[in-house]
Amino acid sequence: MTGATSIRKLPSLSGLHHRRNPLEDNPFFHPSNGFYITPSDVILAQVAYDLSAQSQSRVAYHRAGPRREIMYEPSAVKAAIVTCGGLCPGMNTVIRELVVGLWELYGVREIYGIPAGYRGFYSMEAVKLDPKAVHDWHKKGGTVLATSRGGFHLHKIVDAIQLNGFNQVYIIGGDGTMRGAVEIFKEISLRKLEVGITGIPKTVDNDVGIIDRSFGFQTAVEMAQQAISAAHVEAESAVNGIGLVKLMGRSTGHIALHATLSSRDVDCCLIPEMDFYLEGKGGLFEFLEKRLKERGHAVLVVAEGAGQEMIPRNESQKQERDESGNPVFLDVGVWFKSVLKDWWGREHPDELFTVKYIDPTYMIRAVPANATDNLYCTLLAHSAIHGVMAGYTGFVPGPINGNYAYIPLEEVALTKNKVNMSDHKWAWVRSVTNQPDFETNFKGQSL
Ligand SMILES: Nc1ncnc2c1ncn2[C@@H]1O[C@H](COP(=O)(O)OP(=O)(O)O)[C@@H](O)[C@H]1O
Ligand SMILES: O=P(O)(O)OC[C@H]1O[C@](O)(COP(=O)(O)O)[C@@H](O)[C@@H]1O
Ligand SMILES: [Mg+2]
């Protein structure tokens, strides 16, 4: 295979001095050949190639891991950790492992938690953290530091970082947080401060791009199974029963898709990336009618952002935003329940019909991470620490094709991970549920 490899450049702090990595003397490690990662160690963005193609350009990211030399004197490090945005299983594990990792791997002793998200930098007292304080945090859901939306005042935040003398900042958050982190990184560079900034991607929706998946996502999918199973039991035990489950997913339907694929009890899965329609040939009602006739019940899984444009709303509802500026959605489950009942009442006024609506929204994200996600959180935290200690800044650690890499923060902030409606995964959903291909049906209908 021929073709050039372009390595994504990582910003680094220039005013610091090289020093020996203390892992060299750490009793738990025996650094041998290949232990330290060098600048020429990279992870390719893509692993599948067509070998018959003439020439292919490749994108690569620097590989995450410890470097032979670090750029901070551990006793001079003052680290800040903050969690922003919505909850996600594993946030406490990441905080715990950042604290324990900084302490045990590098001998850092000044580690602080910023309470309540970005606003905490300038409006609250930072909390001193050590391994003893965080020892059981991985067993707790949520974030012990607390989180919030909004409150992003760039200058106040950077002033507070400067005033407190923080020289490493670990920012745990989703797509909105990453956009904020880019602003902070740029302002810090403008002020020529020697402060390492890293963004650790957190989002239960799995909507952050480039990385394989976000931590906590698998736990959330697992939790969603309970809701789907309950909906299935309720639907099966009724006459013409519909079990309706709403799952998180503002603009991406990954949770709904994965929960559908792993459950196999789902008759139809609706996600924000797709258009669908209710009435007429090839529509949802026709499909449900058929399913109820054949099987006596049906299970419908809907991502919270699906069909939002179909729900009637007044002017103020149209404008509503949360503190971070994200649009506030109406409850698609409540709407569905009412349109389904209207439809059945119209078509079959004398026949029994039941819709059981289950909304496990916060249950799927307010739990501790499962074992797989806990391990993932640990590797993520350690990757972040190694990168910052090595002097990199403005980066995001994350798994790419199973290997941990450092990705420029700005690239992550600009990339959204949407469900690709034309790849095999969505085809697999349709083959499992046998649900209508709304797009094709709609085109056929309008001919
Ligand atoms: N474009 C942006 N620029 C700067 N800060 C932002 C931006 N978008 C969101 N934020 C801030 O990031 C934090 C988290 O954002 P939010 O969208 O609520 O959650 P998430 O990071 O999980 O997507 C909030 O404090 C919000 O004010
Ligand atoms: O009610 P809240 O806390 O604002 O959160 C609701 C939203 O948060 C999420 O769980 C996750 O969103 P973020 O990760 O972007 O914060 C969405 O699925 C959901 O719409
Ligand atoms: Mg978000």
Side-chain angles (χ1 to χ4, degrees), residues 72-322:
Y72 286 87
E73 166 56 44
S75 63
V77 170
K78 192 170 179 190
I81 303 168
V82 66
T83 50
C84 310
L87 294 187
C88 174
M91 286 168 100
N92 278 325
T93 312
V94 175
I95 304 168
R96 181 196 191 277
E97 298 309 329
L98 285 173
V99 174
V100 175
L102 279 164
W103 190 284
E104 304 282 357
L105 300 175
Y106 287 98
V108 173
R109 294 293 178 263
E110 291 282 307
I111 310 166
Y112 291 84
I114 306 298
Y118 277 136
R119 68 184 71 239
F121 273 108
Y122 55 83
S123 64
M124 293 169 95
E125 204 63 41
V127 186
K128 188 118 199 277
L129 300 172
D130 59 31
K132 198 161 166 244
V134 301
H135 81 280
D136 62 348
W137 285 18
H138 60 298
K139 296 184 180 161
K140 301 172 197 263
T143 159
V144 177
L145 293 180
T147 183
S148 69
R149 297 193 190 275
F152 186 84
H153 294 293
L154 179 61
H155 290 278
K156 286 190 190 179
I157 293 168
V158 180
D159 287 350
I161 292 174
Q162 213 170 344
L163 198 70
N164 282 293
F166 294 127
N167 53 8
Q168 295 190 356
V169 181
Y170 296 85
I171 302 173
I172 305 165
D175 55 340
T177 307
M178 293 302 140
R179 289 191 287 273
V182 170
E183 301 292 314
I184 295 174
F185 163 68
K186 285 184 176 164
E187 182 61 22
I188 279 180
S189 311
L190 212 65
R191 295 192 194 184
K192 299 193 170 25
L193 305 176
E194 298 296 346
V195 180
I197 302 281
T198 183
I200 302 180
K202 165 256 28 144
T203 157
V204 76
D205 291 355
N206 198 29
D207 56 7
V208 170
I210 306 174
I211 59 171
D212 294 345
R213 62 167 202 285
S214 49
F215 70 80
F217 172 68
Q218 286 196 336
T219 306
V221 169
E222 214 167 283
M223 287 301 292
Q225 298 303 303
Q226 295 179 18
I228 295 175
S229 296
H232 187 224
V233 169
E234 290 286 347
E236 257 191 331
S237 309
V239 176
N240 294 318
I242 292 199
L244 172 63
V245 179
K246 181 184 76 175
L247 293 173
M248 278 193 169
R250 230 196 260 281
S251 54
T252 62
H254 297 283
I255 298 178
L257 184 156
H258 282 82
T260 295
L261 284 178
S262 36
S263 152
R264 315 278 167 126
D265 283 338
V266 179
D267 291 274
C268 187
C269 171
L270 302 171
I271 61 174
E273 288 88 342
M274 70 194 280
D275 289 323
F276 63 90
Y277 60 100
L278 305 177
E279 314 261 0
K281 196 156 170 43
L284 183 69
F285 290 159
E286 183 193 74
F287 170 72
L288 288 176
E289 169 111 43
K290 199 159 157 266
R291 273 292 148 100
L292 291 178
K293 206 164 271 170
E294 284 165 7
R295 303 187 188 171
H297 70 279
V299 174
L300 195 55
V301 165
V302 191
E304 63 176 329
Q308 283 293 320
E309 65 297 335
M310 297 165 83
I311 309 176
R313 63 190 77 207
N314 59 34
E315 267 320 302
S316 83
Q317 284 170 329
K318 279 183 199 161
Q319 307 303 331
E320 215 185 336
R321 297 277 184 277
D322 70 13

